[in-house]
């Protein structure tokens, strides 16, 4: 019943249900419950109750062992939200067994919270004089049910596509409802880490769709997910793919959000793994392709970062280092070429420009990789051409 559910939620909540969170984190929870086994037991029980509540929400009627959604008062919903947040923290901090259970529980709680206000399914909805069915709500419920069908990848993929379509259609049942929107984001983030390429590619498209529809809210969120040190490398790389798609589709509107994208990306490059460096350069290259003028404000920082990357990668000849040198030289050529008639170099600090020029000359003359030499030589020639056009403008008319 309600009291049992509340007691269970309070037993796993950091604060015991009084609304004032402590600073103990996941370890405080484990100590209070008497260790990892008690935490796991509480999560298993809560997960079973959430699964029963999920089935009841999908079926439109309460399950025997679930608390009816209609009986959920605001205190219980607040407790559910707290346990969801705490379960997410446990999923990142606890021992592997507890982390896996906590992550699954958080997903179940998010889904039940998202569905708790759905009208009952089936013909009884209107037979009793109730409100007519909302097609978008039905699509949302069906999509969430498909996403939870982990036994069939095509069904899961269909659910992701449906969620993405609802986002692109700006369906109020998703974008105007905080719980459903949060559940939708959680689904995209979760399946973006899936080993199945069909699932994770569609999840990435879903994240990009959120940023397309509500850029001011979700572009910073994507960037935070991408640059967050707590995220796994593969997750960050996949979020980077979504960010690159979003940047490309922003086009000339990128200038409104460039401040949310460029500085964090440049900061994340320093000392990062080569794979992440390649990803960040790809996102910046997408920005240069979509709206070159949006990068002018940070041209010195970009040039300095590229120079540092090239110098660091030049000290190694492994495959990733070569890939970094190729990506950085191509990006530089594309950036300068995109501003061929915009006097880009006039806006650069002279010292930064000299450093980049010397590095490119060195790579063009002596890099062991032929493609790096070719792109570096192109970069040198682009700089020479723009400098000459500034010195002798009559000979270089647009």
């Amino acid at each position: 019943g309600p009291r049992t559910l509340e007691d269970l939620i309070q037993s796993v909540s950091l604060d015991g249900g009084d609304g004032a969170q402590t600073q103990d984190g996941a370890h405080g929870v484990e100590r209070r419950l008497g260790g990892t086994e008690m935490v796991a037991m509480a999560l298993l029980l809560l997960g079973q109750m959430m699964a029963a509540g999920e089935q009841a929400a999908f079926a439109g009627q309460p399950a025997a062992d679930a608390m009816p959604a209609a009986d959920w008062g605001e205190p219980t919903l607040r407790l559910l939200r707290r346990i969801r947040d705490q379960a997410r923290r446990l999923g990142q901090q606890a021992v592997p067994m507890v982390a896996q259970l906590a992550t699954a529980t958080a997903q179940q709680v998010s889904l039940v919270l998202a569905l708790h206000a759905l009208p009952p399914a089936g013909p009884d909805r209107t037979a009793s004089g109730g409100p007519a069915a909302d097609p978008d709500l039905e699509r949302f419920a069906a999509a969430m049910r498909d996403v939870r069908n982990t036994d069939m990848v095509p069904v899961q993929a269909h659910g992701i596509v449906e969620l993405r379509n609802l986002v692109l259609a700006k369906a109020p049942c998703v974008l105007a409802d905080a719980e459903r929107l949060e559940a939708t984001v959680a689904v995209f983030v979760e399946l973006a880490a899936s080993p199945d390429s069909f699932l994770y590619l569609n999840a990435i498209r879903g994240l990009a769709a959120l940023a397309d529809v509500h850029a001011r809210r979700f572009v910073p969120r994507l960037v935070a997910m991408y640059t967050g040190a707590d995220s796994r490398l593969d997750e960050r790389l996949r979020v980077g793919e979504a960010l690159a798609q979003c940047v490309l589709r922003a086009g000339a509107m990128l200038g409104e959000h460039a401040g949310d994208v460029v500085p964090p990306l440049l900061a994340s490059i320093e000392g990062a793994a080569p794979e992440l460096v390649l990803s960040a350069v790809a996102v910046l290259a997408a920005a240069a392709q979509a709206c070159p003028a949006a990068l002018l404000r940070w041209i010195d920082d970009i040039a300095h970062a590229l120079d540092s990357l090239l110098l660091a990668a030049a000290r190694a000849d492994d495959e990733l280092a070569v890939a970094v040198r190729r990506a950085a030289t191509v990006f530089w050529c594309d950036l300068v070429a995109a501003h061929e008639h915009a006097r880009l170099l006039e806006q650069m600090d002279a010292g930064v420009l000299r450093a980049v020029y010397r590095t490119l000359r060195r790579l063009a003359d002596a890099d062991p990789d032929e493609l790096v030499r070719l792109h570096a030589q192109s970069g040198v020639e682009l700089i020479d051409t723009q400098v000459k056009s500034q010195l002798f403008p009559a000979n270089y008319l647009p």
Side-chain angles (χ1 to χ4, degrees):
R3 189 67 252 164
T4 303
L5 180 58
E6 292 190 18
D7 289 343
L8 183 56
I9 294 172
Q10 289 175 356
S11 73
V12 191
S13 176
L14 272 177
D15 52 18
D18 60 7
Q21 291 195 356
T22 69
Q23 302 297 320
D24 289 347
H27 298 297
V29 175
E30 293 187 6
R31 284 197 303 272
R32 183 155 43 78
L33 290 181
T36 300
E37 291 183 2
M38 289 298 294
V39 175
M41 182 68 71
L43 289 170
L44 280 171
L45 291 172
L46 181 60
Q48 290 174 0
M49 298 185 77
M50 290 297 99
E54 176 185 327
Q55 293 172 2
F58 282 135
Q61 57 187 6
D65 54 348
M67 184 175 65
D71 292 341
W72 288 3
E74 187 56 33
T76 297
L77 293 177
R78 283 199 300 267
L79 288 169
L80 277 168
R81 294 182 189 110
R82 286 212 306 276
I83 188 57
R84 176 196 60 194
D85 296 340
Q86 175 58 13
R88 286 174 180 167
R89 289 195 290 271
L90 279 171
Q92 302 230 339
Q93 303 173 23
V95 295
M97 179 185 69
V98 173
Q100 185 176 6
L101 287 171
T103 300
T105 300
Q107 292 164 2
Q108 288 177 312
V109 174
S110 292
L111 182 56
V112 171
L113 281 170
L115 297 176
H116 86 278
L118 287 178
D124 292 339
R125 179 178 299 165
T126 56
S128 59
D134 182 341
D136 285 342
L137 276 178
E138 292 186 336
R139 286 178 65 192
F140 177 81
M144 283 294 188
R145 181 175 60 244
D146 289 345
V147 165
R148 301 295 290 173
N149 190 342
T150 57
D151 295 331
M152 299 183 66
V153 170
V155 174
Q156 276 189 296
H158 177 266
I160 300 173
V161 171
E162 278 290 274
L163 287 177
R164 175 174 174 265
N165 289 338
L166 285 168
V167 169
L168 290 175
K170 300 182 180 180
C173 72
V174 177
L175 297 183
D177 185 277
E179 296 295 351
R180 294 186 197 120
L181 182 58
E182 185 63 29
T184 301
V185 174
V187 165
F188 289 150
V189 171
E190 173 195 351
L191 293 181
S194 170
D196 187 280
S197 60
F198 193 54
L199 289 180
Y200 93 72
L201 286 174
N202 279 291
I204 285 170
R205 294 189 184 105
L207 289 171
L210 284 169
D212 288 346
V213 170
H214 206 320
R216 188 175 300 277
R217 176 175 181 179
F218 285 103
V219 167
R221 185 164 181 174
L222 278 181
V223 173
M225 291 165 58
Y226 181 67
T227 58
D230 294 335
S231 302
R232 298 198 313 267
L233 178 60
D234 61 332
E235 293 177 349
R236 296 173 71 179
L237 294 177
R238 292 177 181 184
V239 172
E241 294 180 44
L243 192 56
Q245 290 183 20
C246 171
V247 163
L248 278 174
R249 287 201 289 267
M253 300 299 294
L254 178 63
E256 297 183 14
H257 311 289
D260 295 322
V261 177
V262 178
L265 284 183
L266 293 176
S268 71
I269 287 177
E270 186 174 358
E275 297 90 343
L276 194 61
V277 170
L278 286 171
S279 173
V281 171
V283 176
L284 290 170
Q289 179 182 343
C291 185
L295 302 184
L296 287 178
R297 179 178 169 187
W298 300 279
I299 187 61
D300 284 341
D301 295 331
I302 292 172
H304 178 73
L306 288 177
D307 185 53
S308 299
L309 282 179
L310 290 169
L311 289 174
R315 302 188 187 102
D317 288 326
D318 59 274
E319 185 176 344
L320 281 174
V322 172
V324 168
R325 296 202 299 275
R326 289 178 180 176
T329 51
V330 169
F331 174 45
W332 173 256
C333 293
D334 290 345
L335 186 60
V336 176
H339 294 87
E340 182 178 0
H341 305 303
R343 297 189 176 277
L344 169 68
L345 303 185
E346 287 185 355
Q347 304 183 45
M348 290 185 61
D349 177 80
V352 174
L353 179 59
R354 281 195 298 270
V356 172
Y357 187 80
R358 289 168 182 165
T359 300
L360 290 173
R361 284 293 300 267
R362 189 180 307 118
L363 293 174
D365 293 339
D367 195 274
D369 183 77
E370 182 178 359
L371 285 177
V372 173
R373 293 198 304 272
L374 178 64
H375 297 315
Q377 183 60 39
S378 296
V380 169
E381 293 172 358
L382 284 167
I383 293 176
D384 286 339
T385 299
Q386 285 212 16
V387 170
K388 290 176 182 177
S389 71
Q390 294 171 20
L391 296 175
F392 311 103
N395 297 329
Y396 293 87
L397 294 176

